[in-house]
Amino acid sequence: MKDISVPHLTGKLAVVTGASDGIGLGLAERLARAGAEVLMPVRNAAKGEAAVARIRSSVADAAVSTLALDLASLNSVAALAEHLTTVGRPINILINNAGIMMPPTRHTTSDGFELQFGTNHLGHVALVARILPLLREGRARVTTMTSSAARTGKINWDDLQSERSYAPIGSYRTSKLANLLFGMELDRRSTAGGWGVVSNVAHPGTTLTNLYTAGPDMGRQKPSAYKAIMTRLAGWGLFVQNVDAGLLPTLYAATSPEAHGGGLYVPDGLGHFTGGPTSQTPYKPARNEALAARMWEVSERLAGVAFPRV
């Protein structure tokens, strides 16, 4: 694996959602190693404290901490944003990383949204909107995590919450396409409105993390086969990579001076499954600006937030 260099981030504040394990934890550790102060909002406090301890054990004098955040609750998002706003510290890097993938049956957030769309997309939309003044003050780089699944994602406006028809992979694709559309549209609106925020999007290819058990095992008495299959492929070195490799496109998108707003950064290997970070032409659905604008407006309404008009 060819690593990338991260610029010195001393004095910068970075916020990484979903950093209690997997790619989020790896990203938080790399940012801390580069000198950033890293805030890891997490749903599980015990896992968050364990993640902090792990980073501090490997990075001398790491400035890392956690706060409570459940992206499946808009009240939780609002509470975190209120705390950050009260503290008033400008945010320089935000990585919208947290997510859930493919519960076998339909679940909902505390606000009644389909769980994947509500957690992966709406929770992050609400967070960005509510802390936008801090992001603007910090001239922030905002990197939103999508997936290669966004390539085949579709938006069914008549059943956005999968109430009439739920398919685990279909709803996941919708949420990840929504992430991609949001990241692209955020950069367009920031540029048009002079917000000073640079927004881009990245995905980790196929990376072996707990994402492959947390969602697929929800409600099951017997574990799904996803992680066993992924572990076997990783052992063979086929189409699956480890966290240290999988985090690189997002790390590059969030920190490299060469990564630009409106960009999509993915692994450079066959099918974008594995490899080092490279710039990719945004997948076709994300190049539809009318679709992105509609998703933006619908998401504002559903999340109960309002961005500045441009």
Side-chain angles (χ1 to χ4, degrees), residues 82-97:
E82 182 177 5
H83 173 81
L84 293 174
T85 300
T86 299
V87 172
R89 174 86 182 273
I91 297 170
N92 308 107
I93 296 171
L94 171 63
I95 302 181
N96 294 320
N97 163 74

Side-chain angles (χ1 to χ4, degrees), residues 102-107 114 116 159 161-169 171:
M102 297 192 302
T105 58
R106 185 179 181 273
H107 295 259
E114 189 277 317
Q116 296 177 94
D159 192 23
Q161 304 303 326
S162 305
E163 293 171 298
R164 293 201 292 267
S165 176
Y166 175 79
I169 184 60
S171 294

Side-chain angles (χ1 to χ4, degrees), residues 6-22:
V6 179
H8 294 296
L9 299 175
T10 302
K12 305 289 187 181
L13 176 62
V15 178
V16 184
T17 68
S20 58
D21 61 18

